[in-house]
Amino acid sequence: MQLFDDFERARTTYAGHAEPEYEFLNTSAFRFADQVRRYTQEWFDRYPEDAKADLRGRFRSKDNEQHTSAHFELLIHELLLRLDFDVQVHPYVPTTSKRPDFLAANSMGSFYIEAHVIYKDLAERPVTQQEKEFYDWINDLDSSSFMLDLEAEGVLTEQASKRDLLLLRQLMNSHHPDAVEDLIQHRGYHAAPSVTIKVGDWKLVAHLLPLPLSDHGQSDEPTIAASPSEFGRGNFDSPVSKKLRSKVTDKRGSKLDAPLILAVKVDSRMFSLERDAPRTALGRLVPELASEELYPAVGIRRATEGVWFTLGGRPQHNNLHAIWFFDSRSDIGSASARPWSLLILNPNASLQSLFGLERVPHMRAQSGRMEHFEGVGLNQLLEVEPLDPARWYAIPSTDS
């Protein structure tokens, strides 16, 4: 059973903003897409036969949330196998009618694991289908000298007009890249020439971003330098904590006959493992206040709005043994040395066993405080060959 269609691929265009993620992976001839297809098919071949049809249907879905969730489940299953666990998919649980995603077991014990993707609607501005289609129009513009850095506000709920593209074309045609580069170097990013497009309550500001001299004339490059949805700002710990508390309650983990670990992929490039994952599980770091006003800050403590604490500081959800966070940028074969995942054990849980997960980067309570332990990155655990970013968009058949 195949996840991707079998045909010779010649497509060298980038993914459209409105294009389903699976459709791009299935049709792209770029090297990184070829690598994703190869590794995920190998993982799928090791997936249990009786569960393949359901996973394949969701993996090939045009709904990006369905596709991303299925892809994440496939990664978790393969990762558990590589860590030498025996894995059951949707195991029967005698104490409840709920079926967790996986049961992992080895000589040290067993635990249930639920894979959950929190999609891009946390603190970022929602991006509608109409807005995505407008960005695809922008990417069709000639970008041989400039790219456009975009900032958006509001929500686009009506169809924009292609006439609005004239403003962007005029902006790029009326400036020289060297002059714009000089402006940015001396006065900062916002000194770059810009135009503003308004459609109803939606506003888009486009700043010129000069291309490097070596890239001039390469009109096949996308015009947009960064997705506008990524310009949102805010702390992700509170909304993610809220979603995870709801997830734990829905799954009724207290009725399970083994510990529960929640594997979470926050599908937003603004979510940081180092910053947001500990805050989500344990609470934010805040100053510890003394009783005398003359000495207000005497140390640092964690606020109690994380998954495992009530606002009053009482432990909760101790049925949840650990949360295993995954970075949205954990692209297969990324050349980065970052670990891409972080397992955080519940400091209030009576059982502090890692069950053989010591090899992954993790945090656990030790001597009254949470300690961070370095581990092995996903590429190494999955035995994935890192891909040099310079070769991502090469074509496998012609790349030496």
Side-chain angles (χ1 to χ4, degrees):
M1 189 179 295
Q2 299 296 309
L3 287 175
F4 300 97
D5 297 326
D6 185 13
F7 65 96
E8 186 174 347
R9 294 169 174 84
R11 173 182 175 176
T12 57
T13 56
Y14 295 86
H17 284 263
E19 182 179 21
E21 293 175 17
Y22 172 78
E23 183 176 312
F24 173 73
L25 284 177
N26 191 42
T27 58
S28 175
F30 289 140
R31 176 170 284 279
F32 82 90
D34 181 71
Q35 184 156 327
V36 170
R37 289 192 295 267
R38 177 161 53 88
Y39 281 115
T40 51
Q41 183 60 49
E42 291 175 1
W43 301 350
F44 187 65
D45 290 342
R46 287 186 281 273
Y47 208 73
E49 288 295 331
D50 59 354
K52 279 184 175 179
D54 172 71
L55 185 81
R56 181 180 184 271
R58 291 185 290 117
F59 188 93
R60 292 170 60 94
S61 174
K62 293 181 179 180
D63 184 326
N64 285 340
E65 293 190 43
Q66 290 282 335
H67 166 75
T68 301
S69 294
H71 203 165
F72 185 49
E73 289 175 30
L74 188 58
L75 181 144
I76 293 298
H77 179 267
E78 181 67 20
L79 191 53
L80 291 171
L81 292 180
R82 299 280 182 166
L83 290 167
D84 299 321
F85 287 97
D86 294 322
V87 185
Q88 294 182 38
V89 177
H90 301 306
Y92 167 74
V93 182
T95 53
T96 178
S97 60
K98 297 292 183 180
R99 292 287 188 96
D101 289 326
F102 305 107
L103 173 64
N106 61 14
S107 60
M108 301 179 190
S110 62
F111 58 87
Y112 294 106
I113 187 163
E114 275 283 326
H116 182 50
V117 174
I118 298 179
Y119 217 60
K120 301 179 180 179
D121 60 350
L122 297 171
E124 297 180 37
R125 183 185 54 81
V127 180
T128 63
Q129 188 70 12
Q130 292 94 329
E131 187 173 341
K132 291 178 181 178
E133 291 174 356
F134 190 70
Y135 296 148
D136 285 337
W137 293 350
I138 294 176
N139 271 335
D140 288 336
L141 294 173
D142 177 15
S143 55
S144 57
S145 298
F146 292 101
M147 298 182 79
L148 295 175
D149 232 348
L150 306 181
E151 298 182 58
E153 296 179 6
V155 180
L156 182 61
T157 57
E158 57 188 282
Q159 187 67 54
S161 170
K162 287 194 173 183
R163 289 193 299 272
D164 293 320
L165 297 177
L166 293 175
L167 293 173
L168 302 177
R169 186 179 292 111
Q170 291 169 0
L171 176 68
M172 290 189 289
N173 290 342
S174 58
H175 294 86
H176 192 281
D178 291 343
V180 175
E181 180 67 30
D182 186 66
L183 275 174
I184 294 174
Q185 289 292 332
H186 289 88
R187 296 173 55 191
Y189 158 75
H190 283 93
S194 66
V195 295
T196 300
I197 297 172
K198 291 185 178 181
V199 180
D201 295 330
W202 179 72
K203 181 175 74 172
L204 181 72
V205 180
H207 287 85
L208 287 179
L209 183 67
L211 285 170
L213 183 61
S214 59
D215 293 336
H216 282 190
Q218 298 183 20
S219 58
D220 59 336
E221 293 292 324
T223 307
I224 297 175
S227 173
S229 63
E230 295 176 12
F231 280 86
R233 291 292 183 265
N235 293 330
F236 285 82
D237 48 308
S238 294
V240 176
S241 296
K242 181 178 179 180
K243 284 179 177 283
L244 295 187
R245 284 193 294 268
S246 174
K247 182 73 173 176
V248 174
T249 302
D250 288 346
K251 290 301 176 183
R252 302 174 188 176
S254 59
K255 294 186 177 181
L256 298 175
D257 58 347
L260 173 66
I261 293 178
L262 197 59
V264 180
K265 177 178 180 179
V266 182
D267 196 19
S268 169
R269 291 181 178 271
M270 292 187 65
F271 185 86
S272 164
L273 285 180
E274 297 85 353
R275 179 193 66 232
D276 296 310
R279 294 194 312 194
T280 296
L282 304 166
R284 290 177 292 112
L285 288 172
V286 296
E288 182 74 58
L289 302 180
S291 57
E292 296 88 1
E293 292 185 3
L294 292 177
Y295 305 99
V298 296
I300 297 294
R301 64 178 177 84
R302 284 200 179 271
T304 54
E305 78 278 56
V307 172
W308 286 310
F309 296 93
T310 67
L311 290 177
R314 295 184 302 275
Q316 66 174 354
H317 298 312
N318 286 346
N319 54 298
L320 179 60
H321 186 72
I323 306 176
W324 197 354
F325 291 96
F326 288 77
D327 197 304
S328 70
R329 291 166 288 187
S330 53
D331 302 306
I332 295 173
S334 170
S336 172
R338 293 184 61 185
W340 303 121
S341 78
L342 179 63
L343 177 75
I344 304 180
L345 270 68
N346 185 349
N348 306 313
S350 57
L351 180 66
Q352 290 290 315
S353 174
L354 279 163
F355 298 107
L357 293 171
E358 291 87 354
R359 294 175 63 194
V360 306
H362 64 275
M363 294 179 67
R364 68 175 186 267
Q366 187 163 300
S367 302
R369 58 182 295 171
M370 294 297 290
E371 298 286 352
H372 186 276
F373 296 85
E374 296 293 337
V376 180
L378 288 183
N379 281 345
Q380 186 174 344
L381 288 173
L382 295 168
E383 298 182 3
V384 170
E385 178 186 0
L387 187 62
D388 184 346
R391 300 169 63 206
W392 272 40
Y393 299 106
I395 309 303
S397 59
T398 61
D399 182 46
S400 56

